[in-house]
Amino acid sequence: MRLVIAKCSVDYIGRLTAHLPPAIRLIMVKSDGSVLVHSDTGGYKPLMWMTPPCRLSQTDGLWSVVNKGGEELQITVEEILHDTDHTLGIDPGLVKDGVEAHLQVLLAAAPHTLGEGYTLVRREYMTAIGPVDLLCKDAEGASVAVEIKRRGEIDGVEQLTRYLELLGRDPLLAPVRGIFAAQEIKPQARVLAEDRGIRCVVLDYNALRGVVKDELTLF
């Protein structure tokens, strides 16, 4: 991972245009090709970013990051204050807590609880930025990505949005719809999810355990 603190301006050229005027910011270049521009405020979310696959080129203070769709992130670097590289190694990934992990198992065993005719394709379906909890097919055979949380908050919606963006690039899966499933979904997370076309499903853990038990018990 390369970390650069620099005075820079940033322009996004693609489906729309956006501009960040000159300021001191953190530029992150990850080993998977991701390029993210952060400020010192605003929480964890970058101001602008480009996800892989994309190509980075640098010439005379101008960084150009172009993805396969032709969208471009232009970073004009006026002054570099810090520039360092770090090898982080392989990350073991997120280890879910007991309830969250069990919810994934239960839904995988009974995907029709998410909708009539739903079938499971795979648990922990891998993407370039990590695994989506469940990949399913609906009754019409369309792909549905399911992100499962014990408590549904905005960061979970953002996570699912990134998965949907990547999965939607696969012609064998596209178009891919999203379901945000949790025992409790915060109002702000619900508003954001629905605004992005993601369906919210509130899970009853005890009832779901009963559904699976009835189906798997022969006598």
Side-chain angles (χ1 to χ4, degrees):
M1 180 183 292
R2 183 181 178 189
L3 302 175
V4 178
I5 298 176
K7 183 178 182 181
C8 62
S9 58
V10 188
D11 291 277
Y12 168 79
I13 305 167
R15 290 166 291 182
L16 48 81
T17 59
H19 174 73
L20 292 173
I24 296 176
R25 300 185 175 96
L26 168 65
I27 306 169
M28 299 176 62
V29 182
K30 296 188 177 183
S31 61
D32 65 0
S34 304
V35 178
L36 307 94
V37 180
H38 285 270
S39 68
D40 200 23
T41 59
Y44 65 90
K45 188 174 181 179
L47 299 171
M48 290 193 188
W49 67 93
M50 191 71 75
T51 56
C54 56
R55 182 182 70 259
L56 168 64
S57 59
Q58 298 174 239
T59 55
D60 299 327
L62 178 64
W63 295 26
S64 175
V65 189
V66 182
N67 67 15
K68 67 177 184 179
E71 298 170 298
E72 183 178 8
L73 200 65
Q74 291 185 347
I75 305 173
T76 303
V77 178
E78 298 183 11
E79 180 184 5
I80 292 179
L81 306 176
H82 178 82
D83 190 349
T84 185
D85 290 278
H86 301 274
T87 300
L88 303 185
I90 298 174
D91 192 280
L94 178 68
V95 178
K96 296 179 180 292
D97 65 38
V99 172
E100 202 166 289
H102 195 208
L103 282 170
Q104 185 187 114
V105 173
L106 294 172
L107 283 176
H112 64 269
T113 59
L114 297 170
E116 185 176 353
Y118 274 55
T119 57
L120 176 70
V121 175
R122 186 180 302 172
R123 285 179 56 197
E124 300 286 343
Y125 189 90
M126 187 56 66
T127 74
I129 57 172
V132 64
D133 290 329
L134 301 180
L135 182 66
C136 298
K137 294 284 187 180
D138 65 14
E140 286 73 41
S143 300
V144 183
V146 184
E147 184 63 23
I148 302 166
K149 300 292 184 185
R150 182 175 62 178
R151 178 178 298 170
E153 299 182 346
I154 285 178
D155 59 348
V157 178
E158 295 285 6
Q159 182 181 4
L160 178 55
T161 300
R162 292 192 292 271
Y163 289 146
L164 291 172
E165 180 183 354
L166 290 173
L167 292 170
R169 297 175 184 174
D170 187 338
L172 298 178
L173 298 177
V176 184
R177 293 185 293 108
I179 291 180
F180 189 51
Q183 288 182 279
E184 174 192 358
I185 299 178
K186 297 293 186 180
Q188 300 93 330
R190 181 181 292 275
V191 170
L192 180 62
E194 292 176 349
D195 182 67
R196 295 181 177 180
I198 295 171
R199 182 159 66 92
C200 293
V201 175
V202 176
L203 302 173
D204 185 327
Y205 182 52
N206 292 327
L208 188 58
R209 284 192 299 171
V211 169
V212 175
K213 181 178 180 181
D214 289 343
E215 290 188 347
L216 300 183
T217 302
L218 297 179
F219 303 102

